[in-house]
Amino acid sequence: MNSILFNLSGKIDPLLVDVIRIIKREADGLGIPFFVVGATARDILLEYCHAIKPQRMTMDLDVGIEVAGWEEFNLLTGVLVSNAGFKATRDTQKFLAGNFEIDIVPFGPIEAEVGTINWPPDNEMVINVMGFQEAYETASLVRLSESPPLDVRVPTVPGMAVMKIISWRDKYPERSKDAEDLLFLMEHYAEAGNEDRLYGEDLAVMEAEDFDPVQAGIRLLGRDMAALASPKTIEEIRMILADETGARDRYRLVEQMMKGRSVLRGSFDELLEKVEKLKQGLNEQIPFTE
C-alpha cells in the first residue's frame, strides 16, 4: 500500500489533525504501526472522501496499534503523556488531548490468542480485536495534511464493517451505535466508490437485485468482507449473522439498528432483509452466477 487514495488536506478539523500527527510522530519514532479506526475513520472515509455525511458526529479518536507486547504499548502511551502532553485517565487505554478522548487499542502479536487481548495486571478485562489485523493490512492511505505531509492508514469500508459487527456482538447490548454504524456502512456502500463495479465487473450482482443499488451494494459488501477476512474471522461473522436472521424470537441486531431511525427511513422487515442480504453476500464463496 504505497499510493495515497485521497488527499484531504485542509478538509479535516486542524485540531484533530494535530492530535493524529502527534500520535504518528511518537509511534513512528518507536517503530510501532498504527491506524485510525472507529467513528473518526468512518467520518474520514465516508464524509470527506465520498461526501456521505454520517448520522452523528464524534469527538472521540480511536486508534489501533500493532505491538509485540505490553512493554511496547506502555512505551508509546508513556511518551504520549510525558512528551506530548496527553492526559492519562482511569482507563488504561483512554487518554485526553484537548477536547478529544483517545482510545488506544493494541492488536497483533500482543494477542493472548488470535483476536483476544487480556488486559493486565489481572487479565480480568478482555477485549475482542478480531478483524483488526485484516483491517490494518487492507487499509487505505489517506493524506490529512499537505504541509507538512501527514499520511495515515484508515480501514476500508469492508474492514470497518468487519470490526463493527464483531464489536457489536462482543459488547451487546452496550454498543448499539455499532449496529447503527454497520447499517450506515451497508446502506451507503454502493455510493462509497463502488458504482463502477456494480455497473461493470459486478454487474451480475446489480442485475440479480433488480438494479437496486442499495441491496446490490449490501450484497457486494458481504462479499468484500469475506475477501479480506481470515477464515476464523469469516466464521465468527457467519455465526453472528446466522444468529440474527432466519426464524428467531428476537432479532437483536435489527432492533439496535432501528434505534434513532424514523419509521419513514425503513421498517423492521426492510432492515432484516438488508441483514439477510449481507449474509448472502458473505456466504457467496464462488464467482457470482445467476
Side-chain angles (χ1 to χ4, degrees):
M1 187 191 66
N2 298 315
S3 61
I4 297 171
L5 181 63
F6 290 98
N7 188 336
L8 304 179
S9 182
K11 297 181 180 180
I12 309 294
D13 180 351
L15 296 178
L16 175 61
V17 172
D18 288 342
V19 171
I20 296 175
R21 188 187 302 280
I22 290 170
I23 296 173
K24 180 173 173 57
R25 180 191 70 204
E26 302 298 345
D28 286 354
L30 296 171
I32 295 176
F34 90 102
F35 69 143
V36 177
V37 297
T40 299
R42 175 205 66 197
D43 295 349
I44 289 173
L45 194 58
L46 293 182
E47 180 175 7
Y48 297 107
C49 295
H50 295 291
I52 304 169
K53 193 170 181 61
Q55 49 201 356
R56 68 173 189 280
M57 303 303 293
T58 181
M59 290 298 289
D60 296 339
L61 171 62
D62 297 342
V63 299
I65 60 171
E66 186 180 32
V67 291
W70 291 106
E71 183 178 350
E72 282 191 347
F73 177 88
N74 292 331
L75 190 58
L76 175 58
T77 55
V79 297
L80 288 174
V81 172
S82 61
N83 295 351
F86 284 28
K87 295 181 180 179
T89 70
R90 298 175 65 179
D91 295 322
T92 311
Q93 80 276 21
K94 294 185 183 295
F95 300 84
L96 299 176
N99 294 325
F100 294 95
E101 179 178 285
I102 300 109
D103 199 333
I104 301 178
V105 181
F107 70 95
I110 194 175
E111 296 167 25
E113 57 182 88
V114 177
T116 301
I117 298 293
N118 296 333
W119 215 276
D122 51 20
N123 294 330
E124 287 187 2
M125 185 170 77
V126 179
I127 296 179
N128 189 338
V129 293
M130 183 176 286
F132 268 65
Q133 191 69 51
E134 299 101 303
Y136 174 76
E137 291 173 355
T138 58
S140 302
L141 193 63
V142 175
R143 175 157 291 180
L144 301 186
S145 174
E146 193 71 64
S147 181
L150 175 62
D151 302 331
V152 298
R153 290 177 182 252
V154 177
T156 62
V157 173
M160 290 185 204
V162 165
M163 291 189 289
K164 285 292 180 184
I165 194 168
I166 291 173
S167 174
W168 170 79
R169 174 65 170 267
D170 188 52
K171 298 176 182 176
Y172 178 85
E174 288 80 13
R175 296 281 295 187
S176 62
K177 64 181 181 180
D178 284 332
E180 297 171 38
D181 282 347
L182 176 62
L183 177 62
F184 187 81
L185 297 176
M186 290 163 56
E187 292 183 326
H188 294 281
Y189 192 54
E191 59 190 296
N194 292 296
E195 293 97 335
D196 288 346
R197 290 176 62 192
L198 288 171
Y199 286 98
E201 61 192 274
D202 291 300
L203 179 61
V205 179
M206 192 69 147
E207 291 174 337
E209 298 301 330
D210 295 325
F211 288 88
D212 182 330
V214 174
Q215 295 294 83
I218 293 172
R219 189 166 172 179
L220 186 63
L221 175 59
R223 292 162 60 100
D224 290 345
M225 290 166 66
L228 72 83
S230 69
K232 183 176 180 179
T233 301
I234 293 172
E235 186 58 30
E236 181 71 13
I237 296 172
R238 276 185 176 146
M239 291 173 59
I240 294 171
L241 293 176
D243 287 344
E244 299 301 327
T245 54
R248 302 284 168 187
D249 293 331
R250 288 190 63 187
Y251 298 90
R252 300 175 303 168
L253 181 58
V254 175
E255 288 172 7
Q256 292 205 321
M257 284 179 168
M258 292 287 292
K259 287 191 173 182
R261 298 196 65 165
S262 67
V263 176
L264 295 177
R265 294 185 58 206
S267 70
F268 185 95
D269 289 343
E270 289 170 341
L271 295 189
L272 179 58
E273 182 182 3
K274 289 175 180 177
V275 177
E276 294 274 9
K277 196 62 61 178
L278 185 69
K279 181 178 73 172
Q280 180 181 356
L282 188 82
N283 287 333
E284 289 170 343
Q285 295 299 305
I286 59 176
F288 184 86
T289 57
E290 190 78 356

